[in-house]
Amino acid sequence: MKFQLLPSTFDENGKASAKQHLACIVIDDRVAIDAGSLAMACSDVQRANVRDILLTHAHLDHVAGLPLFIDDLYSTLTEPLRIHAAKEVVEVLERDIFNWSVYPRFSELENSSGQVIEYHPFAIGSEFTVRHLKVRSAAVNHQVPSAGFIISDRNTTVAISGDTSEMDEFWMAVNAQPGLAVLLIECAMPNEMQDLADMSHHLTPNTLASELGKLNCKNCPIFIINIKPSYREIVIAQIDELGLENVEIMQVGRVYDW
């Protein structure tokens, strides 16, 4: 499987920065995990091929690019864009974004080929298929209904936490996988902001280290995602100080092939 973390933030020269305000990972140029920067940063190939979007939760940094991506494709879609999300996330999208006040309710609209979007609600904890991928959702701990995912093709299994604090159900699901290839896990804030991290249900380097102790696969490569951009340098420095094995920061724009 090929994974690419799309850029979302720009430096003073207008070039993509390593910092991340928005969350979006594209798998095999065909399936998006979240859609924070999807409309703004996807390649032409991805824009032509991504027709399935898998949402961890409905916070703005994970869905901001979704209305724009649908809008860009509206007149050219020959099949609906499929949004895979927990029932509670679909309700938020329809109530708070696609409500005719913030943006059109695309679920009520059609182009010359028919529907432009389809919702595919899933129960957190369920297993389902998205294109060529088998997906198992697992509950994580993020104050709003949120899911992590264990994603497999015929050769590789990758787990992604999305935004979370301390959790158990996700680790139970991950540890049940016989051949985990890679783990992607958040670490949003520095240790000095532990109180805020606890209130907003995010990890710090210290709680990340504690959570990784729950992972059975001790030689599994681990990539850190979803670092708050204002704290990126200090979070990375604190992770480095911990000396955690097999842990590195996921690079924006790089294509990883697992």
Side-chain angles (χ1 to χ4, degrees), residues 182-215:
V182 179
L183 169 69
L184 310 182
I185 186 167
E186 81 123 82
C187 187
M189 297 179 184
N191 294 324
E192 293 80 1
M193 301 183 71
Q194 189 65 59
D195 288 347
L196 180 58
D198 290 342
M199 284 190 292
S200 58
H201 292 218
H202 282 292
L203 295 176
T204 64
N206 283 342
T207 50
L208 168 70
S210 176
E211 287 301 291
L212 291 180
K214 302 175 184 178
L215 176 65

Side-chain angles (χ1 to χ4, degrees), residues 70-244:
I70 301 169
D71 203 357
D72 286 347
L73 294 173
Y74 181 87
S75 63
T76 60
L77 284 169
T78 57
E79 61 179 309
L81 188 71
R82 294 171 289 273
I83 300 170
H84 306 266
K87 176 178 67 70
E88 298 89 342
V89 172
V90 173
E91 291 172 354
V92 171
L93 293 177
E94 286 288 283
R95 184 189 69 218
D96 297 330
I97 297 177
F98 300 122
N99 58 10
W100 292 112
S101 295
V102 174
Y103 228 69
R105 179 162 281 149
F106 287 112
S107 59
E108 297 178 355
L109 300 177
E110 296 184 353
N111 66 9
S112 59
S113 296
Q115 283 183 279
V116 292
I117 69 166
E118 285 180 351
Y119 289 116
H120 290 248
F122 60 78
I124 295 178
S126 64
E127 189 171 285
F128 50 95
T129 299
V130 178
R131 297 286 282 265
H132 60 301
L133 304 173
K134 182 175 73 173
V135 178
R136 177 171 180 179
S137 63
V140 297
N141 181 12
H142 191 52
Q143 218 176 43
V144 297
S146 302
F149 299 116
I150 301 165
I151 301 169
S152 305
D153 62 10
R154 293 182 179 181
N155 303 306
T156 306
T157 299
V158 177
I160 179 169
S161 71
D163 285 352
T164 190
S165 184
E166 294 93 340
M167 55 188 170
D168 292 310
E169 291 181 43
F170 178 79
W171 294 120
M172 290 175 61
V174 168
N175 289 332
Q177 298 300 312
L180 184 68
V182 179
L183 169 69
L184 310 182
I185 186 167
E186 81 123 82
C187 187
M189 297 179 184
N191 294 324
E192 293 80 1
M193 301 183 71
Q194 189 65 59
D195 288 347
L196 180 58
D198 290 342
M199 284 190 292
S200 58
H201 292 218
H202 282 292
L203 295 176
T204 64
N206 283 342
T207 50
L208 168 70
S210 176
E211 287 301 291
L212 291 180
K214 302 175 184 178
L215 176 65
N216 289 347
C217 182
K218 299 307 180 185
N219 61 350
C220 177
I222 299 163
F223 289 85
I224 307 303
I225 57 174
N226 298 359
I227 302 173
K228 295 291 185 184
S230 297
Y231 316 120
R232 178 178 173 83
E233 289 77 14
I234 188 171
V235 167
I236 292 174
Q238 290 178 350
I239 292 172
D240 288 344
E241 288 173 4
L242 290 169
L244 300 171

